[in-house]
Structure formats: C-alpha cells, structure tokens
Amino acid sequence: MSIDVVLQVLVGGILVGGLYALVAFGLSLIYGVVRILNFAHGTILAVTGVAASLIFARWQLSPVLIFILLVPSVFLLGAVFYRGLLHPLERRSPLEATIGTVLVTVGALLILSDVTAVLAGPTQRNIMLRSPVIEVGNIVISVTQLAILAAIVVMTLVIHAILKATWFGLAVRAVTQEPIAAELCGARSLQVKTLTFGVGSATVAIAAVLYVLTFPVDPYMGFGLTVKAFTIIVVGGIGNLPGALIVGVLLGVAEGLVGLFWGPEWSPAISVILLLLILVAFPAGIRWRRG
Amino acid sequence: MKRFKHMPQFLTWLTGITAAIATVGFAVSTPANAKIGSCTEPIVFGTTISESGPFSTLTSNWRKMTEIFAEEINKEGGIKLASCGGKSVPLKFAIYDDQSVPATAVQLYERMASVDQVDFFVGPDWSSLGGPVPPIAERHGIPIVMGNVATPSLYQRGYKWVWGTPAPAVPRWSERYFDMLTHVQPKPQTIFFLTHDNPVMKAITAFWSRKAAAQGLKVVGEETFSADLKDFTALIAKVRGAKPDIVYLSSFDNPSVPLVQQLRQLKVHAMDVHHTMLTGALAKQVGNDLEGMTGELTWFPSVKGPYADLFDRVMQRTGITMFDSIWTLARLDSYIVMIQAIEKAGSVDREKVQKALYKGTFKSPAGDIVFDEHGFPDTGAFTIQMQNGKVQVIWPPDVATAKPMWPSPTWQ
Amino acid sequence: MNRAVFAVVATIVVAGLAVLPLLGAPYWTTFVFSILIAYVLAQSWDWVAGEMGYINLGHYVFYGIGAYAFAIALSSALMPSVPLAMVIAVLVVAIVAAVLALPLFRLRGDYFAFGTLALLPLAEVLTNNNTWLTGGADGIVLPVAHVLQAAFWLALILAVASFAVTLVINRAPFGFALRSIRNDEEVAEVIGLPLLPTKIKALVLSSLFAGMAGAIQAWQMSYIDAVTVFGLNVALVPIAMALLGGSGLRWGPFIGVVLLAGIQQWLLVNITMLQATVYGAIILLIGRYMPGGILRAGILRGLPWLAPLTREHGAFVADTAIDQVVSSSAVMSAEMPLDRIAPRGTETPLLVCRDVAKAFGGNRALAGVSFNVAQGEIVGLVGQNGSGKTTLFNCISKVHSLSGGEIRFSGRDLSGLRRDQMAGLGVGRTYQIPRPFGDLTVAENVALSLMFGPQREIPARALTEARSFLAYAELDHRRDVRADALSLQEKKLLEFARALATRPKLLLVDEIASGLTPVEVRRFVDRIRAVRDDYGITVIWVEHIASALNAAADRIIVLEQGQLIADGPPAVVFRDQRVLASYLGAAEVVE
C-alpha cells in the first residue's frame, strides 16, 4: 500500500477527529465545571445540524451567517436548560441529584430528537457546498475540508484563549480544579455554571455547522457522538482542551487506519475499545500534568 | 418548602395521565372491524409504520399516504366482493407506530389481532420486524403481506399465512443492470463491491458478485462498511488502488451519502459507479455528485403498469415521489396485493384469501408479482442513470427513456 | 399480620397473572409479558445500582448476550433443546459477567456508568462483525414456535424470582454488604468485607437474571438481531423505569415499570405523533421534580394508603430485626459479647513495624518507622498534624500499601494481604473523621462488623448483638436512627462501637476524644483501659489530649515528619525536650 493512501486516510481522519474534538470541548467544559454528564450533548449537534441544513436549503445563507444565527440561540437554550431544569437539582442529596440529571438529560434527548423529527422530518440532511479540490500528488483535499480544518483550529485557539485570558476562563478553570476554593474566592458558582453550560452547548452548535458541511445529520444520530466525546475527554483529561484536540484527532485517524488495514466495519469499535482500555488502565481518567 | 412549589400542578397533571391510562388504556377498546360476511362494514387492514426511532428516516409521510390510499380505493367504490353479489366494501386502516422496536411491533400486532380485530395484516418493514411479527399472523391465522422485508431466510420458516412484496427481490435486484453490462461498449472487465453492513445489502453483494464472476467480470475488491461510518477515505483509497471499471455500491441511500461525496472529492475514476438505491433522498443530499451514476428504481410513473395511475395519484396527493422514497413501492404493493387477493377470493374469509395468495400472481405498476411457495416475490427493477440532473431509465431498451451514457463521462 | 395480608394479595395477583395466557387475550398477554421482562431487567439492574450504588448503564448487554447465547444454542446442529439452550445462555452470561467484572469494577461513579454504557456499542459491533457466530446483521432466525404461553409463564416465574431475590437480599448479609459498599466501600472492606468477590457476585447475579430475560424474549420472538438487543434506543428504558419508580426501594422498580410501560402503551395506541416527546417529557419532569423516583416524592409519602409502597428497605429490615430482638434478649447490659482475655505480655510482639515507609508522589509521609507493640499494651501515638500518624494507621490496616519496610502482625507479614483480611486477622480501626454508613441505622452499622467478621453472623443475631456494643459505647438509645443523623460526637462513638464489633486483637483508635468535655474524656480513658483489661485488646491510640494519653497509655510513641523521635513510658516521653518542642507546643493550638 503506497504512502499517499495512508496520507489520504490521515487527512480524512484529522478532519473527522477535529470535529469529534469540538464536540468534546463542550462536554469537557460542562463536565469539568458543572459535573453533569449531559446525555443530550451530541443530540444538540444533531438538532443544530438539521436546523442549519434547513436554513441553508430555504434561504441559501452562507455558513458564516448560519453560524451567527444559530450559535447564540443554542447558547441561550443551553443556559436556560441548565438554569430551569438542572440547577435546581443541586439542592438535592447527591444521589438524587445524579439520578435527576440523568433523567432530565435523557428526557431532553428524547424530546429534542422527536420534536426535530416531527418539525423537520426524520430524513438525513446536509449542506451541499460545491467547492474545488486541491491535489497534492495523489492526495486530494477539498477547499471545504480545508476551511473546516481551519475553523477547527481557530475555534480551538479562541476557546483556549478565552479560558486563559478572561475572567470567565479563570473562573472555569478554578471551578474545574478546586470547586470549593473557587467559590470562596468569589467565583459565583451559579453564574459560572450557567455560562459554562451555555458556552458548552454553543461549542457543539459550532461543531454542528461544520459537521453538516461535510457529513449528513439526522435527528437521532446524537448519542453515538456523546459516547465518542466522552471517550475523548476521559483520555485527554477533563477540562484539558489541547488534550481533547489531540485525542480527538488521534481517534479520527485511528478509525481511518483501522478501516484501511483491517476493515471499515471495525471503525466504530475503536472509540469504545479505546475508552475501555484507558479506563481500565487509569480508572479515574487520565490527569495530565498541566504545563 | 420552596422546591415543592411546582408540585401541585405537576401532580395534577400526572394524576390526569394515570387516570387516562386507567380509563382508556386498560379498558378494552371497541373492535373496529367487519363481521366476516358483512357487506356493509369496512374491511380493516392492520399495519404498523416505523414513524419514530432509527427506521423512521425511511418512512416520511407514510401514515398520510396510507390514509390517502384508502380514500382513493374507496372513491372507486372499495373492494369488490363476489360474496356480496359483486358489491364493493370500503377499506379502512388501523395504523400504529412500532417505534422501530420489534417488541413494540409484536404487542401492536397482537393488539390488532385480538383487540382491534382487524381483518388482515399488511406492511411491516425491515428484517428486525419481519422476524418476530409473522408468527403472530400464523398463530391467529390472519394473512399478512409484508412490505420491505427482503431477507429471503425470513420467509423460509414454514409459514402458511405470510407473504411479502419487497421490491426488488435480491435475486432480481440488478438483473437488468448486469444484462446491460454485457451489451455496452467498451466492455467493463473489473468490478469492486462496496457493501453497507445490512442483511439485504450483504445478500445483494453475495448474489451479484457471483453473477459478475459468472459473466466474466473480475471482482477486484469487496469491502463492508457500517451505517455510522462518516470518513470513507480508507475505503476509497482501496478502490483507487484497485482501479476497477465498475464500482458497485450496495447500500441504503442514507449511509452512502458521505461515500458518494467522498468518491467525487477523491476523484475516483471508473466506467460507471452503480448504486443499488439511487434515490431522491440521496440526490437531495449529494446533488450534482450523482450525475452520471447508474442505479435501480423499482418503479417510476412513466411505466404505466396496472394501478400506475392509482399509485401516482396517491403519491402526488401525499407529496412524495418514488425517487424520494424508494421504499414506498413495496409498501403500496403490500396493500394492493392484499386487495387483489381479497377480490380474487371474493370474500373476507381469511382461509379463502390465504388460498388466493398462495403461489399467486398479482398485478403491480412495475409488473407482475409472482409469489413462490414461501411467499417470496420475484420483483425486479429498472436500471436508471442520472442524466443532466434527471432520472432516465436506460435499461431494458423497450421501456428506456434515454440511452445509457457509457462510459459515464462524470467519472473520467 | 401485614405480612399475611401481603402474602395473600401477592398470591392472588400472581395466580391472576398466571391464568392470563389462558383467557384468550393475546394482546394483554404480550403486554404483560413485556412488563414482566422489563421488571426483571429493572429489578436486577437495581441490585447493582440501588443496593450497591454502581450505575450499570450496560445492563442490557447481558440481556442481549443471553438472547444470543440462547438463539445460537437453539439453532445449532447439536440437539436443539430449549431447556438446554436456556442453561447454556445462563452459563455464558455468568462467565461473561464474571470476566467483565474484573476490569469494570476498577471504575467508580460516572466512569463506571460510562464504561458500562460503552459495552453496548461494542457488543453491537462485535455481533455484527462476527458473522460466523452471530449471523452478523442478518440476525438469528429461530424456528417458529408458538410459545407465548410458556414464555409468559417463564417470565412470570423469573419476575417473581426477582422480587423474591430482592426480599432475600434485603435480609441476607449479602444485601447488607451491598448497602455498605454503596455507602463507603473502603470502610466496608476495613471491617472485613471481601470487596471484589462481593461486587462480582452482585454483577453476576444481576446479569444472570438479565440474561434469562433475554433468552425468554428471544424464544418468544423467534428472531433477534443486534439492534434489537444492543440498541441504545431500547437499552436505557428499563433503567429509566427503575429510576422513575425509585431506585433502591423495594417497590420502586415495579411501580416504575408498570407506570412507564403503561404510559408508553397508552401513547402508542392513542396518540399518533410526538409520543416520544410526551414520553421524554414525563421522564424529564420526574427527573426534575422527583429525582429520587415517584415513590420518594414527599407528597406520595404523605399518603397513608401508599405508605407500604413508599418505605425504604431499611424500614422493612428494622421490622424483622426488632421483632427478633424483643423476643431473643430482654436486657441489654454494658457487656460486649467478646471473649474475656486477660492481657498478657508475651515474648513475641503482636505488632512489629520495621522501617515502615510510605511516600505519596515525592512526599514522604513515613520515612522508616520501627517499633513493636506487645499484646495487651495501650500505646499512645502522638505527633503534629501531618507527622504521619493516620498514614501509619492506614498502612497497618492496609488502606495504603507500603513503599518500604515491613509490618508483621501476630508474626505474619502483612504484605500481600487485603484490607478485609486484616479485619479477619484482628485489626480494627476508627476513622479520625467518622465515616459511618450514612443511610443505614446505627444498629446496622455495628451489625455489619459482626456479619462480615470471622463468625459471619446472620443479620438478626448481629443486630441483637450490635446492641451490646452500642450499649458499651453508650449509644444504644440512638440505635434506630440513620447514622448520618448523628452528631459528630455520636458518630465518633459509633466508630468506636463498630471497630469493637469486628472483634479486634488490635484496635487502632484515631482522635476519638477530641472535642469531648474533660469529664467525657476521663470516661473514655476508662473505657479504653477496660477494653484492654477486660477483653485483652491491644490498643494504639492517636490523640492530641496529652492528659488522656498520660492516663491511659502504657507507652507513648512520637512521630515527627514521618520519623519516630521518641518511644517510651509517658512519664519519660512527655518530658523529652524534643517531644515538648515538636508536639506539646502544637498541642496548645489543637483544641
């Protein structure tokens, strides 16, 4: 098998992996700060993706405009969802809070998928952009793919910068690492948590628009992505975005290579096997040293 | 207690639901069917549609279509019964959502058999449901004509009451396409099979890769992919390495969307790329990428077989097209076959209808449906090609709407 | 009386259900059949979740494996026999569960939940790709057999068995073991519970029932494929049902299953769109307003006619226990049911610590500590906060493993032993910050030590005997209170009673008297001495109150920054300059 075949697979893997990572960012933020496992996380991508493709089909808006339209709305919905339905559970006993969040997020998942299927139809959709391709030797990359890759890199940098340089980022990092101390130091936890839930959801919305530019979405597809995103944050370290990006890309590439050398029908198993292996080796997730 | 502030409304609501279940759900509903031999009450077909859950992506608008189908049949009088002196009896459907879950479907068919007391069963789809549902029909002795259940082994279980109208049937799926391949110039030498991991699609590949070899095409590759796969780069890299003349995609339409797009993006060259489900759903998602591809279509309105006008009207009123919803023909076929069987039997007597169905031949817009002794049909399909954004039938030549463009210019 | 009523009602209900398939109502039969299967799944899931506190989101995998094992066995060429296939299914599920338990139980909390959830897609991929065994995506087509009646009865038997097992578990030491794990598995192990075997047993038991449910379902459906038994859209439903009713409650899974299945069926039949939304909304609202499950909602608990359904398990157990306590022992004395052994000094020391070292990362908490403790001694262990006292206790009770050196107890090298074996050898301990099993009663807390201890006492007897230990610790009047409702001082007394109930030879007491009034401290000193004088128990006592140790201890050992700096009689040690500088200076600060 020639080297450019492998390189081609790498390009595809990096693209998919980058999208996985974007989905994982949101989950990582939310899990790190709010300690809630949002089962509906991937479903937000499915729903936003469907919405984006509908908007595109109806008005032919540019993806950037769709972005500007959808991302703030999802931010708001995320924040409201947290404030209205999840935050009140924190007053309960730890067991009740856990069970309550599971039920609420699973319920939300069902509702989101079903309402979307009824409103938009259950069929699969995507956004078709005709874009020229660039050929480097035997390797082919489309301009859309390049743009998506660029967007993933930019988004990672932006989120990273927000976490490093703003009050919100500081609060998020503080709450992720030392919840009680952070509260004592004045990081108002409710406000931070609400913002985080909004930002985490908005990140998925961003991922959704990029996703639907390359791959089709349907209202029921979200949960598989949630599992992948969780794999990524467990392996990459909770709250560690660069780690999530690296692991996401590695996961995407691994899926591609397994498809190449073993058989594409085994690709979906990779993330699960990876998750189980890592968890068994590091039962509490991996804690990377922060440099 | 602040946290109980909202409790009362919620509880009222919950109690309401519980009460509703108690009164409505658990009370035995009134049967809606015709008494056998009655010539006034409607004949009831019981069916489930996967309106929610994983398979719902394939059944858009079917409930509406089914209701309109009954309307159209009844407009022309209904179902003719010899036992009523040639008088027609209206058709009615009992429709439920099986949620794509076999256990739910089983409950619902039991319900239709014993609570709703429908006369006949039509239409469940997919192997997942085609496995557990027929035994219910067997036990109750209710004839069932299933829709899109295409796995042949599911029919070979010694049933007496079970038929199906999957279209096309696996052994006839690409018959016309492979016939065409022996006639085109230049003659293709090699073929590469890409198969969606699904029982029907795998059966198609298994059957047609043997046929290909038998007619002198060299099979240079066979790969399987799962429905979740989004990044097909690895698969396509293998195709490019094998340089086949024909790329044969044996796949449902939706899972292959990224595959088709990436085949284009990665500039695969071939004489033809063939898709076993070249549908409107696919076209909507990949657009121009479909140009020049060949595929199968079970039926299209310009083939004016029996009932073609009826089907066309039903689909137009529902707002769906054959090309958009390729599974629709098998669905409607299951209805129309059951109606013909009843008319042939001349009564709603299930035994007589069963006899009429056994190894029977029935009319359908796409040609005759002939059941074998297992209740499996022999439906074929037409070979089509996307030419300038339009679906053209290119084989067999006697019904073709256009000549095949060969080799397909878009894959050069 | 109540139990008799229950037995009658239960018999009538079960008998009524048993004749259902004969009534010619196949719809109701299939509907109830699906409820029975869902109940078995929900209830067996709850043994691991509600009782043991491990949220196994992959429970459905065992259902699927059972279904597949049954279908493969039944369709194989070797003598297709349904009972044989059932047996094979049960065996396969048991083996898979036991093997999976080892890696899975390395995980805790959310990680366990997600690790188990990941099993579902994995199982689906494996099933689809190993066509030679499973038929791949074609599924397995079984011969058509009209077995609804038989399958229904099997499911009924299995459901009744699930309920019976729940009842039995609640009374058996096994159930107490599960509940202690749910509360604090480290403490459970320290008082003598072999942790991993218990968890494996729980998972195997729970998956056996799920596997049998799967086998029965496969038999009835006569066809299975991977989506049907491993699909995420169906896998979480039984769990949602159990949570909805009230996980960990005797009637929780049952009520949840009946309610949710009923709602779902009603929606299916009566609503033509948005059923999933309504269904989702019900789950969401219950999660939001009654996260402990419907049966734990305050409003339902207030309804007297619902009271029997809403009680926690503990309430049932307390019933039985009290019955028997009253009948078996009338008077509680402040005598513990321990052997009275005269303290004797022997040649070979009971505990030998040689060069004991423990490092956490780069931090050396213990840096080569050596000392002996003779049988029957009371040794005071002092040192500043962070000097390594608690770490030393943790090393002796095997909560930590050593970084260097060795510890011998009764002449036996402790390396390679588990925590529960330490309890068996006779090392009991208290925790500086009390760690009671919060949602068990005080009496149950102590009874657990007796159940897990060398005598493996049955719960009724253990609960009776527990009262003696509680009386000894002057806590008997609080015996029926939930342990997390105790005051800090009471919790410390509970720690003491619980440690004594492990029947230790060596008792490690960690700051039990801090915060007591001088009078109380004196009483405690007497108690510690009595423990030694009357029952021959050797004691190592960590305490900051010098006067107490002075009065109680035969010997004082002083630690400073992980090193032993003094070892001798109180009179000598408390005059040592270095000790005064290091320790007594600090003691002023400590309240």
Side-chain angles (χ1 to χ4, degrees):
Chain A
M1 196 158 294
S2 64
I3 186 74
D4 35 338
V5 170
V6 177
L7 284 177
Q8 184 75 60
V9 170
L10 286 183
V11 171
I14 290 171
L15 184 76
V16 182
L19 290 170
Y20 291 163
L22 268 190
V23 179
F25 285 171
L27 196 69
S28 184
L29 278 177
I30 294 173
Y31 190 77
V33 174
V34 196
R35 291 282 149 185
I36 280 177
L37 211 50
N38 183 6
F39 282 86
H41 191 74
T43 307
I44 301 177
L45 182 137
V47 172
T48 319
V50 169
S53 75
L54 280 181
I55 294 173
F56 182 82
R58 175 76 53 94
W59 294 293
Q60 306 286 313
L61 294 185
S62 100
V64 179
L65 265 167
I66 297 179
F67 233 79
I68 295 170
L69 217 67
L70 283 179
V71 173
S73 333
V74 175
F75 171 87
L76 258 176
L77 284 179
V80 168
F81 177 61
Y82 174 71
R83 272 302 269 278
L85 294 171
L86 290 172
H87 175 68
L89 286 170
E90 283 173 26
R91 270 170 294 169
R92 306 270 179 154
S93 72
L95 181 75
E96 289 199 345
T98 312
I99 293 174
T101 53
V102 171
L103 290 179
V104 167
T105 56
V106 168
L109 183 161
L110 294 172
I111 298 172
L112 281 177
S113 292
D114 194 45
V115 170
T116 311
V118 168
L119 292 183
T123 44
Q124 206 176 254
R125 355 176 135 257
N126 64 0
I127 293 181
M128 269 185 306
L129 288 181
R130 313 281 327 150
S131 66
V133 291
I134 300 165
E135 281 182 83
V136 186
N138 225 350
I139 304 164
V140 190
I141 307 170
S142 80
V143 173
T144 315
Q145 283 178 319
L146 274 183
I148 292 169
L149 277 177
I152 292 169
V153 173
V154 170
M155 285 322 303
T156 312
L157 290 177
V158 167
I159 297 170
H160 193 65
I162 289 177
L163 284 186
K164 282 276 171 217
T166 63
W167 171 85
F168 169 68
L170 190 67
V172 163
R173 282 185 295 142
V175 176
T176 306
Q177 284 156 31
E178 295 286 341
I180 299 165
E183 191 129 3
L184 291 176
C185 296
R188 276 184 49 213
S189 114
L190 172 59
Q191 199 180 340
V192 173
K193 285 175 176 174
T194 311
L195 270 177
T196 307
F197 217 95
V199 171
S201 310
T203 334
V204 192
I206 294 168
V209 179
L210 297 177
Y211 193 94
V212 77
L213 288 172
T214 32
F215 304 121
V217 291
D218 69 71
Y220 298 101
M221 65 169 287
F223 199 68
L225 276 174
T226 309
V227 176
K228 282 205 172 102
F230 193 77
T231 306
I232 290 168
I233 67 171
V234 165
V235 181
I238 287 159
N240 178 358
L241 297 196
L245 184 65
I246 292 167
V247 176
V249 168
L250 285 181
L251 181 60
V253 169
E255 289 185 349
L257 291 179
V258 165
L260 184 64
F261 291 113
W262 195 6
E265 70 269 31
W266 288 100
S267 294
I270 298 308
S271 63
V272 178
I273 291 171
L274 186 72
L275 174 70
L276 288 175
L277 285 182
I278 293 288
L279 277 181
V280 168
F282 305 92
I286 298 181
R287 292 204 190 86
W288 301 90
R289 284 272 173 77
R290 297 187 147 261
Chain B
M1 296 289 269
K2 205 176 163 199
R3 68 171 190 241
F4 291 126
K5 211 171 60 185
H6 304 288
M7 279 305 254
Q9 300 107 289
F10 175 58
L11 259 183
T12 322
W13 186 78
L14 190 76
T15 326
I17 285 206
T18 321
I21 296 159
T23 50
V24 185
F26 290 98
V28 178
S29 323
T30 45
N33 74 310
K35 262 187 244 89
I36 291 178
S38 148
C39 294
T40 46
E41 283 170 77
I43 296 172
V44 182
F45 287 3
T47 191
T48 69
I49 297 172
S50 299
E51 291 184 283
S52 55
F55 293 122
S56 65
T57 52
L58 309 171
T59 66
S60 217
N61 264 333
W62 277 10
R63 180 183 285 268
K64 188 173 163 203
M65 175 183 81
T66 303
E67 280 157 2
I68 290 175
F69 178 85
E71 250 179 71
E72 289 289 339
I73 291 287
N74 293 338
K75 247 190 229 164
E76 289 162 22
I79 303 171
K80 255 193 215 86
L81 289 183
S83 64
C84 296
K87 203 183 148 226
S88 288
V89 175
L91 167 66
K92 204 177 137 186
F93 278 96
I95 309 169
Y96 294 106
D97 175 11
D98 55 48
Q99 300 183 311
S100 314
V101 176
T104 310
V106 165
Q107 284 171 35
L108 290 170
Y109 277 90
E110 288 286 6
R111 184 187 164 87
M112 290 190 286
S114 55
V115 178
D116 300 340
Q117 301 188 350
V118 301
D119 298 297
F120 303 99
F121 288 146
V122 287
D125 310 286
W126 341 120
S127 302
S128 291
L129 309 188
V133 167
I136 300 168
E138 285 289 301
R139 188 152 38 79
H140 291 278
I142 301 176
I144 180 169
V145 179
M146 302 193 283
N148 297 285
V149 177
T151 311
S153 63
L154 286 176
Y155 292 84
Q156 290 157 11
R157 304 165 80 192
Y159 292 135
K160 276 179 61 194
W161 300 88
V162 180
W163 289 266
T165 53
V170 170
R172 295 203 50 200
W173 199 289
S174 285
E175 196 177 34
R176 282 159 173 158
Y177 178 65
F178 279 89
D179 178 48
M180 182 182 93
L181 290 185
T182 60
H183 290 87
V184 287
Q185 282 305 328
K187 224 176 152 174
Q189 304 296 326
T190 53
I191 185 164
F192 197 114
F193 285 88
L194 291 175
T195 312
H196 166 203
D197 194 0
N198 165 283
V200 179
M201 295 303 149
K202 275 161 69 171
I204 291 172
T205 296
F207 188 88
W208 290 102
S209 61
R210 270 201 311 276
K211 282 275 175 195
Q215 69 182 57
L217 274 166
K218 192 171 171 227
V219 179
V220 290
E222 268 187 42
E223 293 287 337
T224 312
F225 60 90
S226 88
D228 311 338
L229 194 66
K230 301 291 182 195
D231 175 21
F232 285 88
T233 323
L235 209 58
I236 293 167
K238 287 187 187 173
V239 175
R240 279 162 57 121
K243 296 196 169 51
D245 293 334
I246 311 271
V247 181
Y248 186 98
L249 311 183
S250 181
S251 171
F252 278 17
D253 42 5
N254 281 330
S256 68
V257 167
L259 172 57
V260 171
Q261 288 173 328
Q262 289 167 33
L263 277 170
R264 288 293 184 189
Q265 262 169 16
L266 298 178
K267 305 221 154 167
V268 168
H269 299 286
M271 283 185 196
D272 181 35
V273 176
H274 184 79
H275 197 303
T276 53
M277 296 221 139
L278 197 68
T279 67
L282 189 60
K284 245 184 223 151
Q285 293 177 75
V286 304
N288 264 342
D289 285 347
L290 226 50
E291 183 63 25
M293 280 175 69
T294 58
E296 262 89 31
L297 192 60
T298 47
W299 176 68
F300 54 101
S302 58
V303 173
K304 294 282 177 200
Y307 300 107
D309 291 339
L310 170 70
F311 281 26
D312 196 22
R313 218 160 43 239
V314 168
M315 289 168 64
Q316 272 187 19
R317 282 187 58 198
T318 316
I320 53 183
T321 68
M322 238 349 264
F323 189 49
D324 283 339
S325 180
I326 191 167
W327 307 100
T328 306
L329 182 75
R331 252 287 158 171
L332 291 177
D333 274 350
S334 80
Y335 304 165
I336 206 72
V337 164
M338 187 59 92
I339 290 177
Q340 290 174 60
I342 296 167
E343 292 186 336
K344 212 159 131 191
S347 96
V348 288
D349 185 335
R350 288 167 179 167
E351 299 267 352
K352 287 185 183 155
V353 173
Q354 185 255 343
K355 287 204 182 74
L357 280 163
Y358 183 71
K359 288 179 92 169
T361 300
F362 297 90
K363 305 250 170 276
S364 105
D368 283 356
I369 296 172
V370 183
F371 288 123
D372 66 10
E373 70 273 26
H374 301 298
F376 198 69
D378 66 337
T379 338
F382 301 92
T383 301
I384 54 169
Q385 187 171 36
M386 290 299 287
Q387 295 180 356
N388 302 317
K390 285 213 180 98
V391 185
Q392 303 288 1
V393 177
I394 53 168
W395 209 263
D398 52 322
V399 295
T401 55
K403 275 193 168 342
M405 292 165 79
W406 192 273
S408 173
T410 58
W411 296 100
Q412 297 309 308
Chain C
M1 213 268 325
N2 258 334
R3 229 179 295 165
V5 172
F6 169 75
V8 171
V9 172
T11 315
I12 293 171
V13 169
V14 171
L17 286 176
V19 297
L20 180 62
L22 304 174
L23 298 180
Y27 166 55
W28 294 108
T29 312
T30 36
F31 177 52
V32 175
F33 174 77
S34 73
I35 287 187
L36 291 172
I37 294 288
Y39 171 69
V40 173
L41 286 168
Q43 183 63 68
S44 59
W45 174 80
D46 207 39
W47 296 332
V48 173
E51 304 288 325
M52 194 167 77
Y54 276 78
I55 310 286
N56 174 11
L57 294 181
H59 190 52
Y60 220 72
V61 162
F62 300 111
Y63 166 87
I65 293 173
Y68 260 101
F70 172 81
I72 291 168
L74 193 61
S75 59
S76 70
L78 316 157
M79 192 181 68
S81 127
V82 171
L84 187 68
M86 290 272 174
V87 171
I88 290 174
V90 165
L91 286 178
V92 169
V93 170
I95 291 167
V96 173
V99 170
L100 280 179
L102 292 172
L104 285 178
F105 281 122
R106 289 174 55 84
L107 312 176
R108 305 268 167 90
D110 289 347
Y111 291 105
F112 181 83
F114 236 92
T116 47
L117 180 64
L119 293 176
L120 285 164
L122 182 64
E124 196 178 335
V125 173
L126 289 177
T127 313
N128 275 332
N129 293 350
N130 288 300
T131 315
W132 58 275
L133 180 67
T134 60
D138 292 5
I140 298 181
V141 182
L142 295 175
V144 177
H146 299 304
V147 293
L148 180 58
Q149 281 184 4
F152 180 91
W153 284 323
L154 264 185
L156 183 63
I157 292 169
L158 195 61
V160 172
S162 311
F163 191 77
V165 168
T166 312
L167 295 189
V168 170
I169 279 184
N170 272 293
R171 282 156 201 219
F174 184 60
F176 283 92
L178 297 185
R179 268 164 277 149
S180 68
I181 291 176
R182 178 183 68 206
N183 274 282
D184 191 331
E185 58 180 79
E186 182 193 311
V187 175
E189 198 176 15
V190 162
I191 64 171
L193 177 71
L195 212 48
L196 192 59
T198 310
K199 289 178 177 175
I200 293 178
K201 266 187 232 160
L203 188 71
V204 169
L205 179 71
S206 135
S207 31
L208 276 186
F209 275 78
M212 277 189 273
I216 296 172
Q217 180 86 288
W219 189 38
Q220 201 265 326
M221 299 254 267
S222 74
Y223 173 82
I224 53 164
D225 60 4
V227 192
T228 311
V229 292
F230 299 122
L232 287 168
N233 60 324
V234 282
L236 296 179
V237 172
I239 297 173
M241 289 169 165
L243 292 178
L244 188 95
S247 172
L249 292 178
R250 173 172 296 180
W251 292 98
F254 180 75
I255 297 291
V257 166
V258 171
L259 215 59
L260 214 52
I263 291 174
Q264 191 195 23
Q265 196 71 14
W266 183 82
L267 290 172
L268 269 181
V269 171
N270 294 287
I271 293 191
T272 56
M273 71 190 310
L274 289 173
Q275 306 129 339
T277 302
V278 179
Y279 190 65
I282 290 168
I283 292 177
L284 186 150
L285 287 172
I286 290 189
R288 166 68 181 79
Y289 293 103
M290 308 170 175
I294 288 178
L295 293 185
R296 284 204 182 88
I299 267 181
L300 287 190
R301 291 230 150 137
L303 300 174
W305 51 275
L306 267 180
L309 290 185
T310 60
R311 294 167 81 192
E312 302 273 346
H313 280 315
F316 293 99
V317 178
D319 276 359
T320 19
I322 285 166
D323 291 351
Q324 301 189 7
V325 166
V326 170
S327 61
S328 67
S329 88
V331 189
M332 282 297 126
S333 64
E335 284 266 318
M336 293 187 290
L338 294 177
D339 294 337
R340 288 184 163 270
I341 304 169
R344 61 200 149 86
T346 45
E347 295 295 309
T348 49
L350 183 66
L351 180 76
V352 178
C353 293
R354 209 174 59 222
D355 293 326
V356 170
K358 176 68 194 173
F360 298 102
N363 178 16
R364 283 153 62 87
L366 290 176
V369 174
S370 302
F371 65 93
N372 293 349
V373 176
Q375 202 273 334
E377 259 191 309
I378 296 178
V379 177
L381 180 58
V382 298
Q384 262 181 300
N385 287 337
S387 60
K389 306 183 299 285
T390 299
T391 307
L392 183 61
F393 271 17
N394 283 340
C395 286
I396 298 173
S397 57
K398 297 294 288 182
V399 170
H400 297 327
S401 50
L402 297 185
S403 319
E406 84 172 336
I407 302 180
R408 301 183 79 84
F409 181 76
S410 291
R412 185 163 172 190
D413 182 9
L414 299 190
S415 58
L417 291 184
R418 292 187 317 266
R419 293 167 196 168
D420 58 291
Q421 292 172 312
M422 293 312 301
L425 280 178
V427 177
R429 68 169 294 180
T430 73
Y431 283 87
Q432 181 184 357
I433 299 162
R435 289 167 71 167
F437 301 119
D439 63 12
L440 301 183
T441 66
V442 168
E444 286 171 340
N445 264 271
V446 175
L448 283 170
S449 300
L450 296 164
M451 284 184 242
F452 304 156
Q455 305 189 344
R456 305 268 155 209
E457 290 179 13
I458 59 162
R461 191 177 148 76
L463 282 164
T464 315
E465 279 195 9
R467 293 191 60 187
S468 312
F469 289 96
L470 286 170
Y472 195 80
E474 296 178 0
L475 205 58
D476 192 41
H477 60 291
R478 303 281 276 165
R479 63 179 177 269
D480 292 330
V481 176
R482 265 173 70 123
D484 54 9
L486 295 181
S487 72
L488 180 64
Q489 291 315 322
E490 287 172 328
K491 282 180 183 165
K492 289 195 165 189
L493 292 177
L494 177 57
E495 283 279 336
F496 185 58
R498 187 169 69 183
L500 283 173
T502 62
R503 304 174 191 277
K505 294 194 187 101
L506 171 66
L507 181 62
L508 308 173
V509 182
D510 200 350
E511 293 198 29
I512 203 151
S514 59
L516 298 182
T517 64
V519 182
E520 285 168 338
V521 170
R522 222 166 301 133
R523 284 171 65 95
F524 217 90
V525 167
D526 292 344
R527 214 135 275 256
I528 294 272
R529 291 201 73 100
V531 160
R532 191 263 310 265
D533 294 343
D534 297 346
Y535 304 101
I537 297 172
T538 311
V539 179
I540 306 181
W541 186 5
V542 169
E543 198 58 73
H544 283 299
I545 305 166
S547 60
L549 291 185
N550 206 11
D554 305 320
R555 219 171 94 206
I556 302 288
I557 293 174
V558 186
L559 289 181
E560 186 187 60
Q561 292 183 346
Q563 280 173 323
L564 191 143
I565 58 165
D567 179 355
V572 179
V573 170
F574 283 132
R575 268 187 225 115
D576 185 288
Q577 279 306 316
R578 193 170 164 201
V579 172
L580 287 175
S582 145
Y583 166 66
L584 292 183
E588 309 281 336
V589 188
V590 177
E591 43 174 342

